[in-house]
Amino acid sequence: MTIQRADDRTRHFRLSGVGDHSGVSFLVSADDATIGSADINDLVIPVLGVSREHARLQRASGRLDVEDHGSRNGTFINGERIRRGAAHPGDALRFGPVELRLEEVDAGDAELGMVFMPPGTGDPSPFPEDQSTVGFTSTPVVSAVHRSSELVFPEGYVPGRSAAMVDFYRALESLRAADLPVLVEGETGVGKEIVAHTLHRSSIRCGGPFVAVNCAAIPADLLEAEMFGIGEGVATGVRKRQGKFIAAQGGTLFLDEIGDMPFELQAKLLRALQEKEIQPVGSAALPVDVWVISATNTNLRQRANDNTFRRDLYYRVAGSVLRVPALRERTEDIPLLLEHFLRRATAEAGKMIRGVTVKALQALMVYPWPGNVRELEHLAKRLAHSCGDGQAIDSEMLPELFTYVETDELVSEPTSPRLEDHVRVAERRAIAQALAKSGGSQRQAALLLGISRNTLARKIRQLDISV
């Protein structure tokens, strides 16, 4: 997939509401446009007090020429009523009772990189085929009963289309009938539990229960009883309790963050897996038949070699190891996921957005996403609530840390064969990524880059990086 690149030399204007009309926003990208309450206008303000054809707007170099069309309640620039006048970025324009602020916007925020259309409206993309802008209608959301090849995904899951995810799904398919213990590795936020659900739904155990245990969330002194249960009459006032192994009988037991399991409990888990039986607290052993899928965001093999995790247990739970790709390794899937999250968030907020601008999408595509898919989902919710109804998400709505990603430098290489030009681009890329990872902290970025704070500040000035 390719993303349309904007020409930074082309500038556009936006009229945004202030005060009671803060939800009003218009992009003035045409050289000549009319504004008024009637639908025949290019910019429509259906507000009482705005004339049908209120005024005419003409773009000029660095300004917007405004001409009143004989409106009843007048056209004003910075509080002064005008027949003809010139407005500059930062000026306040009032059309009858509606006051708008004139802003200058980048060309990348004047063009949509993703277009959202109501369902059933056909091809959403208004762009000609020779443009590489991305356009979507509704994202293909897979239900629990819809099969993609041999996999059954959880409700609402959006399958990736990137090469990394296609390879990952092939690995999943090979395990659906194996019944081997599976260890799912991946960074925080990549969706390891969704992988476990997919394996369960796709396996011969799909008719059995799926039981999840977060080994990091349960206190160590309670985890044994939670896992293996408690027998009758162990102590006064203690009632018999069924453990997670018995609850998962005939199905799948998902052990999330298994690396955080207390060391002493690891021996009991090992015995349960080896002997296929558990020992409830204060009770006789019970046979169990479960498929164990574990997950970790650490290098469990390295921890086993370092003796901070039982080596024998590692080899027992890692019958097969699956590594879930990080979001930065599957950037082709970002528009697909973003649209899905935005549609869901805007439905919850009861609003509609037009799409995402080219410049905003560029920034999202090159951001390193340390929080992975979960971070993208949270950002989509934030953007859906901050974007005005009927407007588009642009780069200015993104959190500040996204401004440290130099999108043009990251997505393009120099055409010059000169070595110094390539070095300059590489340095800009490395510094921009370090600033993004550190949330804009130059001290932390310098530590990541292995240079001094003063050296980083000097390079930022020399390379003309915006901070």
Side-chain angles (χ1 to χ4, degrees):
M1 173 171 22
T2 56
I3 303 298
Q4 187 178 10
R5 303 252 321 269
D7 183 354
D8 286 340
R9 292 170 299 178
T10 304
R11 307 299 294 186
H12 297 259
F13 294 109
R14 178 170 54 208
L15 289 168
S16 297
V18 295
D20 293 340
H21 304 285
S22 57
V24 178
S25 181
F26 300 103
L27 184 68
V28 186
S29 56
D31 289 333
D32 197 328
T34 59
I35 187 168
S37 59
D39 291 340
I40 60 173
N41 293 281
D42 301 294
L43 311 178
V44 180
I45 308 179
V47 174
L48 186 66
V50 177
S51 298
R52 285 179 54 81
E53 297 179 48
H54 200 103
R56 180 183 180 186
L57 311 174
Q58 289 184 298
R59 285 197 308 171
S61 178
R63 71 178 193 276
L64 194 66
D65 290 334
V66 184
E67 180 182 358
D68 184 79
H69 271 197
S71 66
R72 175 174 297 181
N73 294 308
T75 300
F76 299 79
I77 298 178
N78 295 327
E80 180 180 349
R81 187 164 184 168
I82 56 98
R83 172 107 185 267
R84 292 188 183 88
H88 297 83
D91 287 347
L93 281 74
R94 182 155 59 86
F95 305 95
V98 177
E99 184 170 329
L100 304 171
R101 183 77 59 184
L102 183 63
E103 304 168 349
E104 193 174 21
V105 297
D106 193 278
D109 279 331
E111 301 174 71
L112 291 181
M114 290 177 63
V115 184
F116 293 174
M117 297 288 283
T121 55
D123 183 5
S125 178
F127 302 103
E129 292 183 0
D130 61 349
Q131 290 189 357
S132 55
T133 306
V134 181
F136 296 106
T137 50
S138 57
T139 302
V141 178
V142 178
S143 71
V145 296
H146 179 77
R147 288 184 176 269
S148 173
S149 186
E150 297 297 325
L151 296 178
V152 183
F153 296 103
E155 187 77 30
Y157 178 69
V158 181
R161 298 175 181 173
S162 61
M165 291 307 292
V166 169
D167 290 343
F168 180 72
Y169 294 146
R170 287 199 191 102
L172 284 185
E173 289 175 15
S174 68
L175 295 174
R176 49 184 292 275
D179 215 32
L180 286 170
V182 177
L183 177 63
V184 183
E185 296 181 335
E187 299 176 5
T188 298
V190 295
K192 296 185 287 293
E193 185 165 354
I194 291 177
V195 171
H197 273 287
T198 301
L199 281 170
H200 171 73
R201 291 171 180 268
S202 307
S203 73
I204 57 176
R205 293 178 177 268
C206 60
F210 178 92
V211 178
V213 181
N214 189 330
C215 300
I218 303 174
D221 55 342
L222 299 179
L223 188 56
E224 181 178 3
E226 189 73 17
M227 292 278 288
F228 306 120
I230 300 176
E232 190 73 54
V234 171
T236 303
V238 177
R239 294 187 297 176
K240 181 178 179 179
R241 183 193 303 173
Q242 175 181 271
K244 298 296 186 183
F245 266 89
I246 296 300
Q249 191 78 301
T252 302
L253 179 65
F254 176 55
L255 302 178
D256 196 12
E257 304 301 347
I258 191 173
D260 292 326
M261 179 176 286
F263 208 81
E264 60 274 14
L265 191 56
Q266 293 177 24
K268 295 188 177 183
L269 175 60
L270 176 64
R271 182 178 182 278
L273 298 178
Q274 286 178 334
E275 307 298 330
K276 296 187 182 301
E277 67 175 26
I278 60 168
Q279 184 80 49
V281 178
S283 183
L286 297 172
V288 290
D289 175 27
V290 299
W291 185 19
V292 174
I293 301 175
S294 308
T296 180
N297 61 8
T298 65
N299 188 332
L300 210 57
R301 184 186 185 95
Q302 184 61 51
R303 289 188 55 189
N305 291 335
D306 295 340
N307 294 319
T308 57
F309 188 85
R310 287 189 66 112
R311 186 176 302 183
D312 47 5
L313 179 58
Y314 170 77
Y315 289 111
R316 178 60 63 174
V317 298
S320 184
V321 179
L322 287 171
R323 179 184 171 277
V324 186
L327 187 55
R328 63 181 173 275
E329 299 169 22
R330 45 179 295 216
T331 54
E332 305 98 306
D333 294 330
I334 289 175
L336 205 65
L337 294 165
L338 177 64
E339 187 197 11
H340 171 62
F341 294 142
L342 283 174
R343 286 188 180 278
R344 189 165 63 187
T346 51
E348 293 173 357
K351 63 170 63 171
M352 183 198 75
I353 63 172
R354 291 174 49 230
V356 183
T357 67
V358 169
K359 189 172 183 179
L361 188 56
Q362 284 178 348
L364 296 175
M365 293 287 282
V366 299
Y367 176 67
W369 296 107
N372 291 291
V373 178
R374 186 181 301 145
E375 183 182 7
L376 176 60
E377 181 177 10
H378 291 166
L379 176 66
K381 290 180 180 178
R382 176 176 174 178
L383 292 174
H385 283 84
S386 62
C387 183
D389 192 18
Q391 304 306 314
I393 292 171
D394 61 33
S395 63
E396 294 182 4
M397 299 179 190
L398 299 179
E400 185 177 358
L401 64 91
F402 283 84
T403 64
Y404 293 102
V405 180
E406 295 287 310
T407 58
D408 282 349
E409 292 292 343
L410 288 173
V411 298
S412 63
E413 296 294 335
T415 57
S416 166
R418 291 165 57 86
L419 179 62
E420 63 181 284
D421 292 337
H422 288 266
V423 171
R424 178 182 176 88
V425 169
E427 287 189 329
R428 285 176 66 89
R429 178 183 292 113
I431 292 172
Q433 289 176 337
L435 286 167
K437 288 179 180 178
S438 65
S441 168
Q442 294 189 27
R443 183 178 66 83
Q444 291 296 326
L447 290 173
L448 290 173
L449 293 165
I451 59 178
S452 70
R453 172 69 178 78
N454 290 338
T455 300
L456 175 61
R458 185 178 72 254
K459 286 185 175 293
I460 287 173
R461 291 193 301 271
Q462 291 174 345
L463 298 172
D464 193 26
I465 297 175
S466 300
V467 294

